[in-house]
Amino acid sequence: MARSGGRTVWLHASSVGEVQAAIILIGALRDTIGNATIVVTTTTEQGHRLASSRLPTAVCLMAPLDLPQAVRRAVRTLRPDCYVCLETEIWPAMLTEVRRAGISMLLLNGRISPRSFRRYLRIRGFLAPLLDGFRHVAVISEADGQRYAALGAPASRIQVCGNLKYDIETPSPEEMRATSRRRLAVDGERVFLCGSTHEGEEEQLMAGFRALATRGPAVWVIAPRHLERFSAVESLLRRAGMAFDRFSALAAGAPRQADVVVVDTIGDLADLYAGGDYVFCGGSLVKVGGHNIVEAARWGRAVYFGPHMKGCQDAADLLMRMGGGFQVADGHALADLLLSHADAPEQYAIACARAADMAASQRGAVARQVALVCGVLSGC
């Protein structure tokens, strides 16, 4: 692979969630190390599409198969100065061969849920030598650090750095809100924006939209977590007798003709949250574990989510404690809460302000993790 003359950083981000963190990290790396070649590998097509669309200056590839021969071939081609994996991307052949090639490795934005930790403990003897290969293990929370240490990562190399996803750059909330609402073709309507939804959630969320519509004109925006679910969501809406528009058409300038919008694009949700009046984050009414609620909170939007937030429990607890997040048992409870907030706009505005305060208080992770990468590169 042709090099730019500077360093080469190989960053592995498995799917959409990790790519979102990679976008933030790479932006800061570009500001710090300038002409470095950044290679981003992913293991899912959806992650690859997002990386290719949002990281035009990076080399975006599908990850090699986790086989020694395939990894060795990739290492010879890419010739990286360091290898960075995000969250919990522990691929045995990859880590073994990269370390054997003498390439410094870092694990950034490390996180392990309690459920995954219990599974990993059963193979601790296998994982410990792999984790020992990392120069640095930057974790999101103290609990994550304790879990990595228990699995064999050297405690001296573990640092609590916070979550990269909390450091997503936030332009003017007012300007982004106006832009997002224009792209959604809404004006004075209340927007109920449901992001990263999974199978079984749209049926429950429908009650919330119908309740909100009793208080005046309302628009329901649904952003399924996975592209392959768009047709299933649209079929559900048709069965319910609900007309809908596709976001891609509205963003291209088509007039909105329905009160439901299905987001059929990748990479737009984080900014669209700014255009919502009431925001729900999915993967939480069903047993998925939740998704990044700070993406919405940073725009000054209170966030609703269901009971299943194990993947984002720290953020959920903090947001609720600060008064900017609301956990509900099911779609009916959410509908009741939406009506309560619609009928008490001053109280709801306070909750939105507290959500923005929570998001602002959590920034700084990207600077700490960029410093680890730069420290490793300076020694290469």
mmCIF file of all heavy atoms in Angstrom, residues 30-71:
data_model
loop_
_atom_site.group_PDB
_atom_site.id
_atom_site.type_symbol
_atom_site.label_atom_id
_atom_site.label_comp_id
_atom_site.label_asym_id
_atom_site.label_seq_id
_atom_site.Cartn_x
_atom_site.Cartn_y
_atom_site.Cartn_z
ATOM 1 N N ARG A 30 -6.121 13.366 13.200
ATOM 2 C CA ARG A 30 -5.736 14.198 12.063
ATOM 3 C C ARG A 30 -5.217 15.554 12.534
ATOM 4 O O ARG A 30 -4.240 16.084 11.984
ATOM 5 C CB ARG A 30 -6.942 14.408 11.143
ATOM 6 C CG ARG A 30 -7.348 13.193 10.349
ATOM 7 C CD ARG A 30 -6.418 12.986 9.194
ATOM 8 N NE ARG A 30 -6.857 11.898 8.329
ATOM 9 C CZ ARG A 30 -6.045 11.053 7.750
ATOM 10 N NH1 ARG A 30 -4.749 11.141 7.954
ATOM 11 N NH2 ARG A 30 -6.494 10.111 6.947
ATOM 12 N N ASP A 31 -5.875 16.113 13.530
ATOM 13 C CA ASP A 31 -5.438 17.415 14.044
ATOM 14 C C ASP A 31 -4.083 17.337 14.732
ATOM 15 O O ASP A 31 -3.356 18.328 14.809
ATOM 16 C CB ASP A 31 -6.477 17.953 15.045
ATOM 17 C CG ASP A 31 -7.794 18.319 14.376
ATOM 18 O OD1 ASP A 31 -7.793 18.517 13.153
ATOM 19 O OD2 ASP A 31 -8.812 18.380 15.090
ATOM 20 N N THR A 32 -3.746 16.150 15.239
ATOM 21 C CA THR A 32 -2.534 16.003 16.059
ATOM 22 C C THR A 32 -1.337 15.500 15.264
ATOM 23 O O THR A 32 -0.218 15.995 15.431
ATOM 24 C CB THR A 32 -2.812 15.036 17.232
ATOM 25 O OG1 THR A 32 -3.956 15.497 17.951
ATOM 26 C CG2 THR A 32 -1.618 14.969 18.170
ATOM 27 N N ILE A 33 -1.559 14.500 14.388
ATOM 28 C CA ILE A 33 -0.419 13.883 13.702
ATOM 29 C C ILE A 33 -0.448 14.108 12.195
ATOM 30 O O ILE A 33 0.314 13.489 11.452
ATOM 31 C CB ILE A 33 -0.319 12.379 14.021
ATOM 32 C CG1 ILE A 33 -1.620 11.647 13.649
ATOM 33 C CG2 ILE A 33 0.000 12.165 15.473
ATOM 34 C CD1 ILE A 33 -1.557 10.148 13.911
ATOM 35 N N GLY A 34 -1.318 14.974 11.746
ATOM 36 C CA GLY A 34 -1.264 15.468 10.375
ATOM 37 C C GLY A 34 -1.338 14.424 9.287
ATOM 38 O O GLY A 34 -2.397 13.873 9.020
ATOM 39 N N ASN A 35 -0.193 14.130 8.660
ATOM 40 C CA ASN A 35 -0.197 13.372 7.413
ATOM 41 C C ASN A 35 -0.183 11.865 7.605
ATOM 42 O O ASN A 35 0.182 11.118 6.700
ATOM 43 C CB ASN A 35 1.008 13.766 6.553
ATOM 44 C CG ASN A 35 2.326 13.316 7.181
ATOM 45 O OD1 ASN A 35 2.397 13.057 8.377
ATOM 46 N ND2 ASN A 35 3.371 13.239 6.367
ATOM 47 N N ALA A 36 -0.589 11.380 8.744
ATOM 48 C CA ALA A 36 -0.620 9.930 8.956
ATOM 49 C C ALA A 36 -1.609 9.269 8.007
ATOM 50 O O ALA A 36 -2.651 9.827 7.672
ATOM 51 C CB ALA A 36 -1.000 9.614 10.400
ATOM 52 N N THR A 37 -1.278 8.064 7.569
ATOM 53 C CA THR A 37 -2.223 7.241 6.820
ATOM 54 C C THR A 37 -3.085 6.491 7.824
ATOM 55 O O THR A 37 -2.565 5.806 8.709
ATOM 56 C CB THR A 37 -1.481 6.238 5.926
ATOM 57 O OG1 THR A 37 -0.709 6.956 4.958
ATOM 58 C CG2 THR A 37 -2.456 5.313 5.210
ATOM 59 N N ILE A 38 -4.391 6.648 7.718
ATOM 60 C CA ILE A 38 -5.314 5.969 8.622
ATOM 61 C C ILE A 38 -6.024 4.876 7.844
ATOM 62 O O ILE A 38 -6.673 5.136 6.823
ATOM 63 C CB ILE A 38 -6.367 6.933 9.204
ATOM 64 C CG1 ILE A 38 -5.701 8.155 9.846
ATOM 65 C CG2 ILE A 38 -7.261 6.198 10.196
ATOM 66 C CD1 ILE A 38 -4.947 7.868 11.115
ATOM 67 N N VAL A 39 -5.880 3.653 8.296
ATOM 68 C CA VAL A 39 -6.572 2.513 7.697
ATOM 69 C C VAL A 39 -7.648 2.066 8.672
ATOM 70 O O VAL A 39 -7.373 1.832 9.856
ATOM 71 C CB VAL A 39 -5.606 1.348 7.427
ATOM 72 C CG1 VAL A 39 -6.359 0.151 6.846
ATOM 73 C CG2 VAL A 39 -4.486 1.785 6.490
ATOM 74 N N VAL A 40 -8.886 1.969 8.194
ATOM 75 C CA VAL A 40 -10.007 1.532 9.032
ATOM 76 C C VAL A 40 -10.549 0.228 8.470
ATOM 77 O O VAL A 40 -10.954 0.163 7.305
ATOM 78 C CB VAL A 40 -11.132 2.589 9.072
ATOM 79 C CG1 VAL A 40 -12.295 2.092 9.920
ATOM 80 C CG2 VAL A 40 -10.601 3.904 9.619
ATOM 81 N N THR A 41 -10.556 -0.817 9.289
ATOM 82 C CA THR A 41 -11.146 -2.086 8.872
ATOM 83 C C THR A 41 -12.410 -2.343 9.681
ATOM 84 O O THR A 41 -12.509 -1.983 10.853
ATOM 85 C CB THR A 41 -10.168 -3.256 9.045
ATOM 86 O OG1 THR A 41 -9.705 -3.310 10.402
ATOM 87 C CG2 THR A 41 -8.985 -3.118 8.110
ATOM 88 N N THR A 42 -13.373 -2.967 9.038
ATOM 89 C CA THR A 42 -14.635 -3.320 9.684
ATOM 90 C C THR A 42 -14.979 -4.759 9.346
ATOM 91 O O THR A 42 -14.467 -5.325 8.371
ATOM 92 C CB THR A 42 -15.774 -2.403 9.199
ATOM 93 O OG1 THR A 42 -15.817 -2.434 7.765
ATOM 94 C CG2 THR A 42 -15.560 -0.968 9.634
ATOM 95 N N THR A 43 -15.874 -5.341 10.134
ATOM 96 C CA THR A 43 -16.269 -6.732 9.891
ATOM 97 C C THR A 43 -17.685 -6.842 9.347
ATOM 98 O O THR A 43 -18.113 -7.931 8.980
ATOM 99 C CB THR A 43 -16.165 -7.571 11.177
ATOM 100 O OG1 THR A 43 -16.916 -6.936 12.209
ATOM 101 C CG2 THR A 43 -14.726 -7.710 11.620
ATOM 102 N N THR A 44 -18.425 -5.730 9.291
ATOM 103 C CA THR A 44 -19.778 -5.758 8.745
ATOM 104 C C THR A 44 -19.882 -4.810 7.554
ATOM 105 O O THR A 44 -19.196 -3.790 7.505
ATOM 106 C CB THR A 44 -20.830 -5.348 9.793
ATOM 107 O OG1 THR A 44 -20.682 -3.956 10.095
ATOM 108 C CG2 THR A 44 -20.683 -6.168 11.066
ATOM 109 N N GLU A 45 -20.756 -5.147 6.622
ATOM 110 C CA GLU A 45 -20.954 -4.298 5.446
ATOM 111 C C GLU A 45 -21.515 -2.937 5.852
ATOM 112 O O GLU A 45 -21.160 -1.906 5.281
ATOM 113 C CB GLU A 45 -21.879 -4.989 4.453
ATOM 114 C CG GLU A 45 -21.262 -6.210 3.784
ATOM 115 C CD GLU A 45 -22.169 -6.789 2.717
ATOM 116 O OE1 GLU A 45 -23.207 -6.166 2.419
ATOM 117 O OE2 GLU A 45 -21.836 -7.866 2.191
ATOM 118 N N GLN A 46 -22.416 -2.937 6.842
ATOM 119 C CA GLN A 46 -22.999 -1.677 7.285
ATOM 120 C C GLN A 46 -21.930 -0.771 7.885
ATOM 121 O O GLN A 46 -21.899 0.438 7.625
ATOM 122 C CB GLN A 46 -24.111 -1.951 8.303
ATOM 123 C CG GLN A 46 -24.994 -0.756 8.573
ATOM 124 C CD GLN A 46 -26.247 -1.141 9.337
ATOM 125 O OE1 GLN A 46 -26.547 -2.311 9.499
ATOM 126 N NE2 GLN A 46 -26.972 -0.155 9.817
ATOM 127 N N GLY A 47 -21.037 -1.350 8.686
ATOM 128 C CA GLY A 47 -19.941 -0.568 9.238
ATOM 129 C C GLY A 47 -19.024 -0.035 8.148
ATOM 130 O O GLY A 47 -18.568 1.108 8.209
ATOM 131 N N HIS A 48 -18.773 -0.870 7.136
ATOM 132 C CA HIS A 48 -17.914 -0.438 6.026
ATOM 133 C C HIS A 48 -18.547 0.714 5.252
ATOM 134 O O HIS A 48 -17.855 1.675 4.886
ATOM 135 C CB HIS A 48 -17.651 -1.619 5.097
ATOM 136 C CG HIS A 48 -16.817 -1.278 3.901
ATOM 137 N ND1 HIS A 48 -15.496 -0.886 3.997
ATOM 138 C CD2 HIS A 48 -17.128 -1.245 2.578
ATOM 139 C CE1 HIS A 48 -15.022 -0.644 2.791
ATOM 140 N NE2 HIS A 48 -15.999 -0.844 1.909
ATOM 141 N N ARG A 49 -19.844 0.630 5.016
ATOM 142 C CA ARG A 49 -20.524 1.715 4.298
ATOM 143 C C ARG A 49 -20.447 3.020 5.076
ATOM 144 O O ARG A 49 -20.208 4.093 4.497
ATOM 145 C CB ARG A 49 -21.984 1.333 4.037
ATOM 146 C CG ARG A 49 -22.172 0.373 2.884
ATOM 147 C CD ARG A 49 -23.621 0.293 2.473
ATOM 148 N NE ARG A 49 -24.446 -0.343 3.497
ATOM 149 C CZ ARG A 49 -24.731 -1.626 3.529
ATOM 150 N NH1 ARG A 49 -24.249 -2.430 2.605
ATOM 151 N NH2 ARG A 49 -25.499 -2.133 4.473
ATOM 152 N N LEU A 50 -20.662 2.952 6.392
ATOM 153 C CA LEU A 50 -20.595 4.167 7.202
ATOM 154 C C LEU A 50 -19.184 4.732 7.205
ATOM 155 O O LEU A 50 -18.986 5.947 7.040
ATOM 156 C CB LEU A 50 -21.052 3.876 8.635
ATOM 157 C CG LEU A 50 -21.011 5.064 9.598
ATOM 158 C CD1 LEU A 50 -21.893 6.205 9.098
ATOM 159 C CD2 LEU A 50 -21.438 4.632 11.002
ATOM 160 N N ALA A 51 -18.181 3.874 7.370
ATOM 161 C CA ALA A 51 -16.794 4.343 7.376
ATOM 162 C C ALA A 51 -16.437 4.993 6.038
ATOM 163 O O ALA A 51 -15.817 6.064 5.994
ATOM 164 C CB ALA A 51 -15.850 3.190 7.676
ATOM 165 N N SER A 52 -16.828 4.366 4.947
ATOM 166 C CA SER A 52 -16.494 4.904 3.620
ATOM 167 C C SER A 52 -17.148 6.253 3.373
ATOM 168 O O SER A 52 -16.560 7.131 2.735
ATOM 169 C CB SER A 52 -16.924 3.910 2.535
ATOM 170 O OG SER A 52 -16.233 2.685 2.684
ATOM 171 N N SER A 53 -18.379 6.436 3.896
ATOM 172 C CA SER A 53 -19.094 7.691 3.655
ATOM 173 C C SER A 53 -18.637 8.817 4.568
ATOM 174 O O SER A 53 -18.647 9.988 4.176
ATOM 175 C CB SER A 53 -20.602 7.472 3.814
ATOM 176 O OG SER A 53 -20.927 7.140 5.155
ATOM 177 N N ARG A 54 -18.205 8.465 5.776
ATOM 178 C CA ARG A 54 -17.873 9.505 6.758
ATOM 179 C C ARG A 54 -16.375 9.734 6.930
ATOM 180 O O ARG A 54 -15.968 10.679 7.595
ATOM 181 C CB ARG A 54 -18.484 9.134 8.118
ATOM 182 C CG ARG A 54 -20.008 9.111 8.129
ATOM 183 C CD ARG A 54 -20.613 10.496 8.031
ATOM 184 N NE ARG A 54 -20.223 11.322 9.159
ATOM 185 C CZ ARG A 54 -20.847 11.315 10.345
ATOM 186 N NH1 ARG A 54 -21.901 10.533 10.523
ATOM 187 N NH2 ARG A 54 -20.441 12.095 11.324
ATOM 188 N N LEU A 55 -15.561 8.863 6.345
ATOM 189 C CA LEU A 55 -14.107 8.981 6.505
ATOM 190 C C LEU A 55 -13.433 8.987 5.139
ATOM 191 O O LEU A 55 -12.675 8.070 4.789
ATOM 192 C CB LEU A 55 -13.575 7.826 7.358
ATOM 193 C CG LEU A 55 -14.069 7.785 8.804
ATOM 194 C CD1 LEU A 55 -13.734 6.459 9.465
ATOM 195 C CD2 LEU A 55 -13.473 8.947 9.611
ATOM 196 N N PRO A 56 -13.666 10.017 4.337
ATOM 197 C CA PRO A 56 -13.140 10.034 2.966
ATOM 198 C C PRO A 56 -11.624 10.073 2.886
ATOM 199 O O PRO A 56 -11.053 9.700 1.858
ATOM 200 C CB PRO A 56 -13.763 11.302 2.373
ATOM 201 C CG PRO A 56 -14.070 12.176 3.554
ATOM 202 C CD PRO A 56 -14.452 11.232 4.656
ATOM 203 N N THR A 57 -10.947 10.533 3.954
ATOM 204 C CA THR A 57 -9.485 10.612 3.896
ATOM 205 C C THR A 57 -8.816 9.353 4.438
ATOM 206 O O THR A 57 -7.592 9.256 4.428
ATOM 207 C CB THR A 57 -8.978 11.827 4.691
ATOM 208 O OG1 THR A 57 -9.320 11.666 6.076
ATOM 209 C CG2 THR A 57 -9.590 13.114 4.157
ATOM 210 N N ALA A 58 -9.613 8.399 4.914
ATOM 211 C CA ALA A 58 -9.053 7.146 5.426
ATOM 212 C C ALA A 58 -9.146 6.064 4.364
ATOM 213 O O ALA A 58 -9.933 6.151 3.422
ATOM 214 C CB ALA A 58 -9.788 6.710 6.686
ATOM 215 N N VAL A 59 -8.322 5.040 4.514
ATOM 216 C CA VAL A 59 -8.406 3.856 3.667
ATOM 217 C C VAL A 59 -9.357 2.888 4.372
ATOM 218 O O VAL A 59 -9.044 2.373 5.446
ATOM 219 C CB VAL A 59 -7.025 3.208 3.482
ATOM 220 C CG1 VAL A 59 -7.135 1.946 2.628
ATOM 221 C CG2 VAL A 59 -6.040 4.201 2.873
ATOM 222 N N CYS A 60 -10.529 2.666 3.807
ATOM 223 C CA CYS A 60 -11.565 1.859 4.461
ATOM 224 C C CYS A 60 -11.659 0.491 3.791
ATOM 225 O O CYS A 60 -11.925 0.396 2.587
ATOM 226 C CB CYS A 60 -12.913 2.579 4.399
ATOM 227 S SG CYS A 60 -12.915 4.179 5.243
ATOM 228 N N LEU A 61 -11.432 -0.559 4.561
ATOM 229 C CA LEU A 61 -11.378 -1.917 4.041
ATOM 230 C C LEU A 61 -12.194 -2.842 4.931
ATOM 231 O O LEU A 61 -12.434 -2.548 6.103
ATOM 232 C CB LEU A 61 -9.934 -2.416 4.008
ATOM 233 C CG LEU A 61 -8.896 -1.564 3.282
ATOM 234 C CD1 LEU A 61 -7.492 -2.077 3.604
ATOM 235 C CD2 LEU A 61 -9.156 -1.602 1.774
ATOM 236 N N MET A 62 -12.605 -3.975 4.371
ATOM 237 C CA MET A 62 -13.150 -5.039 5.200
ATOM 238 C C MET A 62 -11.984 -5.746 5.893
ATOM 239 O O MET A 62 -10.901 -5.892 5.318
ATOM 240 C CB MET A 62 -13.932 -6.042 4.346
ATOM 241 C CG MET A 62 -15.176 -5.464 3.689
ATOM 242 S SD MET A 62 -16.421 -4.902 4.889
ATOM 243 C CE MET A 62 -16.968 -6.470 5.587
ATOM 244 N N ALA A 63 -12.198 -6.146 7.130
ATOM 245 C CA ALA A 63 -11.126 -6.796 7.894
ATOM 246 C C ALA A 63 -10.773 -8.142 7.280
ATOM 247 O O ALA A 63 -11.641 -8.825 6.720
ATOM 248 C CB ALA A 63 -11.563 -6.988 9.341
ATOM 249 N N PRO A 64 -9.515 -8.537 7.384
ATOM 250 C CA PRO A 64 -9.156 -9.872 6.890
ATOM 251 C C PRO A 64 -9.815 -10.945 7.749
ATOM 252 O O PRO A 64 -10.164 -10.708 8.905
ATOM 253 C CB PRO A 64 -7.625 -9.895 7.051
ATOM 254 C CG PRO A 64 -7.348 -8.922 8.151
ATOM 255 C CD PRO A 64 -8.369 -7.836 8.003
ATOM 256 N N LEU A 65 -9.997 -12.120 7.165
ATOM 257 C CA LEU A 65 -10.472 -13.245 7.959
ATOM 258 C C LEU A 65 -9.503 -13.485 9.109
ATOM 259 O O LEU A 65 -8.295 -13.257 8.986
ATOM 260 C CB LEU A 65 -10.571 -14.502 7.095
ATOM 261 C CG LEU A 65 -11.630 -14.489 5.987
ATOM 262 C CD1 LEU A 65 -11.507 -15.755 5.142
ATOM 263 C CD2 LEU A 65 -13.024 -14.381 6.590
ATOM 264 N N ASP A 66 -10.027 -13.924 10.233
ATOM 265 C CA ASP A 66 -9.161 -14.135 11.396
ATOM 266 C C ASP A 66 -8.421 -15.469 11.282
ATOM 267 O O ASP A 66 -8.615 -16.398 12.079
ATOM 268 C CB ASP A 66 -9.988 -14.073 12.680
ATOM 269 C CG ASP A 66 -9.104 -13.867 13.903
ATOM 270 O OD1 ASP A 66 -8.237 -12.971 13.855
ATOM 271 O OD2 ASP A 66 -9.266 -14.613 14.892
ATOM 272 N N LEU A 67 -7.583 -15.518 10.265
ATOM 273 C CA LEU A 67 -6.730 -16.677 10.010
ATOM 274 C C LEU A 67 -5.298 -16.184 9.895
ATOM 275 O O LEU A 67 -5.053 -15.112 9.323
ATOM 276 C CB LEU A 67 -7.146 -17.370 8.712
ATOM 277 C CG LEU A 67 -8.572 -17.928 8.668
ATOM 278 C CD1 LEU A 67 -8.912 -18.388 7.260
ATOM 279 C CD2 LEU A 67 -8.713 -19.083 9.657
ATOM 280 N N PRO A 68 -4.322 -16.914 10.401
ATOM 281 C CA PRO A 68 -2.934 -16.428 10.399
ATOM 282 C C PRO A 68 -2.450 -15.982 9.031
ATOM 283 O O PRO A 68 -1.833 -14.917 8.901
ATOM 284 C CB PRO A 68 -2.145 -17.638 10.924
ATOM 285 C CG PRO A 68 -3.126 -18.372 11.790
ATOM 286 C CD PRO A 68 -4.446 -18.213 11.109
ATOM 287 N N GLN A 69 -2.719 -16.773 7.982
ATOM 288 C CA GLN A 69 -2.219 -16.420 6.654
ATOM 289 C C GLN A 69 -2.837 -15.107 6.171
ATOM 290 O O GLN A 69 -2.153 -14.258 5.588
ATOM 291 C CB GLN A 69 -2.539 -17.544 5.650
ATOM 292 C CG GLN A 69 -1.933 -18.895 6.033
ATOM 293 C CD GLN A 69 -2.926 -19.740 6.840
ATOM 294 O OE1 GLN A 69 -3.694 -19.222 7.649
ATOM 295 N NE2 GLN A 69 -2.883 -21.044 6.599
ATOM 296 N N ALA A 70 -4.139 -14.938 6.390
ATOM 297 C CA ALA A 70 -4.824 -13.729 5.929
ATOM 298 C C ALA A 70 -4.327 -12.509 6.686
ATOM 299 O O ALA A 70 -4.116 -11.433 6.103
ATOM 300 C CB ALA A 70 -6.331 -13.889 6.111
ATOM 301 N N VAL A 71 -4.112 -12.658 7.989
ATOM 302 C CA VAL A 71 -3.636 -11.530 8.780
ATOM 303 C C VAL A 71 -2.211 -11.163 8.387
ATOM 304 O O VAL A 71 -1.879 -9.986 8.236
ATOM 305 C CB VAL A 71 -3.720 -11.842 10.286
ATOM 306 C CG1 VAL A 71 -3.098 -10.700 11.103
ATOM 307 C CG2 VAL A 71 -5.174 -12.053 10.705
#
